[in-house]
Amino acid sequence: MSEEALFEYLHMEIVKTILQNGEILGETKDDCINKLEWIGFRVGQSVIERMTKDTPKFKDELETMKYICKEFWSSIFLKQIDNLRTNHQGVYVLQDHRFRFFTNISSGKQYSDSAPMYIGLTCGILRGALSNLGHNCDVTAEVVQMPSCKFQIEMKK
C-alpha cells in the first residue's frame, strides 16, 4: 500500500514541479506536457526493457499490445486495461475506467481542465515502452469523464 501512495505522490510532485518551472521560464502548457511525455518515454523504455529481458519476441503488433494491456499496465497501475480495441490498421484504443491518477481527484470541471497534465507522463510511458519493443507510434489521451481515460495509439509504418 505504501508503494502505491509513493508512486502517486511522486507523480503529482513531478507534474507540479514541471508546471512551476514552466511558469518561471515562461513556457506554455504544451511545453510542460512535452517535458512530462519525455520523462515518461524514458521511464517506459526502461521498465519494458527490464520486464521483457527474458520474454521471447512478440510475433506481431496485436500480441505486443495485449502484453502492454495486461502485464505492462498491471505492473505500473496494479490493474489491467479495461478494454482494448483496434481497427486492425495500426490504431489501438486502450480504456481505463478507473485511471489510477484520477481516482483521487474530483470529477469537477476545474480538475478536468488540468487532466492533460496528469496523463502526459502516461502517454510518454506507453510510447517509450512500445518504442523499445520496435513500434514507432503516437500516443494521445482523452478524458471524457473522470476517472475514465482513453489512450489512442497510432502505429507509424
Side-chain angles (χ1 to χ4, degrees), residues 9-23:
Y9 287 125
L10 179 61
H11 179 265
M12 287 189 297
E13 284 302 312
I14 289 171
V15 171
K16 184 175 121 188
T17 301
I18 294 289
L19 281 174
Q20 287 174 342
N21 289 344
E23 286 177 17

Side-chain angles (χ1 to χ4, degrees), residues 75-116:
S75 74
I76 297 173
F77 298 106
L78 307 177
K79 67 183 274 308
Q80 294 182 4
I81 280 288
D82 295 311
N83 195 354
L84 167 65
R85 293 177 186 229
T86 182
N87 66 357
H88 298 287
Q89 296 176 1
V91 177
Y92 299 87
V93 177
L94 287 63
Q95 285 185 299
D96 189 334
H97 299 301
R98 292 193 46 80
F99 183 57
R100 181 175 178 177
F101 295 139
F102 291 163
T103 55
N104 294 326
I105 299 176
S106 172
S107 57
K109 176 70 173 147
Q110 73 269 24
Y111 296 107
S112 61
D113 289 343
S114 62

